[in-house]
Amino acid sequence: MGRSDDAVSPPRVAFVRVRELALSALLRVEPELALQPLAVLDVAHDLARAGALPPGYGAARVVACTAAARALGVAVGQTGHQARAVAPDLRLRGSSTELAQRARAALLDAVATVGARLAPAPQGVWVDAAELSGMYESEAGLGAALTEAPRRVGLAVSVGIAGNLGVAAVAARRGGVTVIPAGEEGRYLGPLALEALPISEALRAELRRFGVTRVAELARLPVDAAGLRLGEEAARELAAMPPPEVALRYGEDAAAMVRLAQGEDDRALVPDALPARFEEGVDLEWEVQTVEPLLFVTRRVLDALVARLSCRGLGVGGMVLSLDLVSRVSDERALPLAAPTRDVPTLFALVRSALEGQGPPDAVRA
């Protein structure tokens, strides 16, 4: 039975958050690294050099690491030099903006198999959960489906479901599947430390000067007074920040931050169209000059590409193979197919033929 146009479901939003995006994006295309001691740094990826760290790696901070690295004493926040001091054989990789973008695109493809009304965010994707309420026995069941779908594209996620975007995003940071019943958003947030909210450390320190350490204490501040007392500081601190991981912006005035602490967020979920371009790739750890190592990593890239296409029910009708050379130019080759396919061996044979017919003119970086 169709739903009446006059029937309006109460807003329910799910936020699907990729765990440790910088690391997850890398492991999607290099899964063999998952069992090795590896740390990702908050610096752009650069090629490794024998006997020395790439420029900037030593002072850069660890943003994520594998379980094998943690077992050796590596921790988030250490510098590259500190991490290597406790784990001399640790592999260090810089963050890759391109890999992160592709991981987010893959997440959209996967989550689209569960719900159609999606809005991308820097660390994940929002889903209109109200539209899906009749398809699952419970919101916990919806959360389980939203957790399972990204595994098809090699991503581990956590899910938060609540009555608005802001609280759903905060809940997703807690791990697993967290469902906040309608009207309970403020009660859920209250006991949490300020670290649960997307607030800079500098601004948290400012709040602590006023004795505010818990979300409930922030929520008790008068909204207008908070805007006058903290608004200028909030604007200055948050304007200097990169986009917060749940895409919340409270730089206009601190009153919006107080409203979030009270469980309120009046932003609407605005669905976005799924991308029509499919691109996958890998940043190489070392320069590659021969065909066989290129073919090895290309197979992983094709697996990732086809997994995304399978989520959308699409096939490959043609490809472009792009090699990023150490000379900072790109060697691009169009690889047409006779008919669309999702058969990885067929696609791999096409790439092999192109590379063996004409090898790269210079060493390859990506």
Side-chain angles (χ1 to χ4, degrees), residues 147-169:
T147 301
E148 182 61 30
R151 292 194 179 117
R152 297 174 58 185
V153 293
L155 294 172
V157 301
S158 55
V159 177
I161 302 177
N164 60 61
L165 276 68
V167 178

Side-chain angles (χ1 to χ4, degrees), residues 31-192:
E32 71 278 5
L33 296 178
L35 300 179
Q36 300 181 24
L38 169 74
V40 180
L41 305 171
D42 62 349
V43 66
H45 169 73
D46 199 357
L47 292 177
R49 294 289 186 270
L53 295 177
Y57 272 39
R61 298 281 176 176
V62 174
V63 295
C65 58
T66 59
R70 289 193 297 271
L72 295 174
V74 179
V76 171
Q78 292 175 339
T79 65
H81 284 313
Q82 290 168 337
R84 273 281 176 84
V86 298
D89 295 329
L90 179 71
R91 299 178 73 165
L92 294 174
R93 295 287 286 270
S95 300
S96 169
T97 301
E98 291 79 10
L99 287 182
Q101 290 173 342
R102 292 163 195 158
R104 287 193 292 265
L107 179 68
L108 280 172
D109 293 328
V111 174
T113 64
V114 179
R117 288 173 52 83
L118 312 175
Q123 292 285 326
V125 58
W126 279 293
V127 185
D128 187 341
E131 289 290 314
L132 304 172
S133 59
M135 299 177 60
Y136 296 88
E137 292 184 0
S138 66
E139 288 186 332
L142 169 60
L146 291 171
T147 301
E148 182 61 30
R151 292 194 179 117
R152 297 174 58 185
V153 293
L155 294 172
V157 301
S158 55
V159 177
I161 302 177
N164 60 61
L165 276 68
V167 178
V170 171
R173 298 176 70 184
R174 309 293 290 175
V177 176
T178 303
V179 177
I180 313 301
E184 296 292 318
E185 287 80 8
R187 182 176 299 183
Y188 167 76
L189 293 176
L192 304 181

Side-chain angles (χ1 to χ4, degrees), residues 46-339:
D46 199 357
L47 292 177
R49 294 289 186 270
L53 295 177
Y57 272 39
R61 298 281 176 176
V62 174
V63 295
C65 58
T66 59
R70 289 193 297 271
L72 295 174
V74 179
V76 171
Q78 292 175 339
T79 65
H81 284 313
Q82 290 168 337
R84 273 281 176 84
V86 298
D89 295 329
L90 179 71
R91 299 178 73 165
L92 294 174
R93 295 287 286 270
S95 300
S96 169
T97 301
E98 291 79 10
L99 287 182
Q101 290 173 342
R102 292 163 195 158
R104 287 193 292 265
L107 179 68
L108 280 172
D109 293 328
V111 174
T113 64
V114 179
R117 288 173 52 83
L118 312 175
Q123 292 285 326
V125 58
W126 279 293
V127 185
D128 187 341
E131 289 290 314
L132 304 172
S133 59
M135 299 177 60
Y136 296 88
E137 292 184 0
S138 66
E139 288 186 332
L142 169 60
L146 291 171
T147 301
E148 182 61 30
R151 292 194 179 117
R152 297 174 58 185
V153 293
L155 294 172
V157 301
S158 55
V159 177
I161 302 177
N164 60 61
L165 276 68
V167 178
V170 171
R173 298 176 70 184
R174 309 293 290 175
V177 176
T178 303
V179 177
I180 313 301
E184 296 292 318
E185 287 80 8
R187 182 176 299 183
Y188 167 76
L189 293 176
L192 304 181
L194 284 181
E195 285 76 8
L197 301 183
I199 302 174
S200 72
E201 178 55 40
L203 187 53
R204 280 198 297 270
E206 182 70 12
L207 289 168
R208 290 191 194 102
R209 291 203 305 117
F210 295 102
V212 177
T213 61
R214 295 281 169 183
V215 174
E217 295 165 345
L218 179 60
R220 285 195 291 269
L221 291 178
V223 171
D224 292 339
L228 292 173
R229 191 177 189 186
L230 298 175
E232 182 180 350
E233 179 70 20
R236 185 165 59 252
E237 294 292 348
L238 293 179
M241 291 174 61
E245 66 175 7
V246 291
L248 298 177
R249 284 288 195 168
Y250 295 116
E252 291 289 327
D253 87 59
M257 181 173 54
V258 175
R259 284 195 291 271
L260 175 64
Q262 294 170 347
E264 300 176 5
D265 183 351
D266 58 5
R267 294 173 303 155
L269 187 153
V270 180
D272 202 356
L274 290 173
R277 176 183 175 88
F278 295 83
E279 181 176 333
E280 289 291 348
V282 62
D283 296 319
L284 303 179
E285 191 170 10
W286 304 89
E287 296 175 1
V288 172
Q289 297 183 327
T290 57
V291 170
E292 284 305 317
L294 282 179
L295 290 174
F296 177 79
V297 296
T298 298
R299 178 61 185 253
R300 300 286 177 79
V301 171
L302 288 171
D303 286 337
L305 181 65
V306 169
R308 288 180 55 192
L309 290 165
S310 298
C311 291
R312 300 269 293 273
L314 300 174
V316 181
M319 294 190 300
V320 174
L321 173 64
S322 179
L323 306 175
D324 182 10
L325 307 179
V326 294
S327 55
R328 302 291 180 176
V329 299
S330 181
D331 174 13
E332 292 196 347
R333 303 139 184 248
L335 308 177
L337 284 92

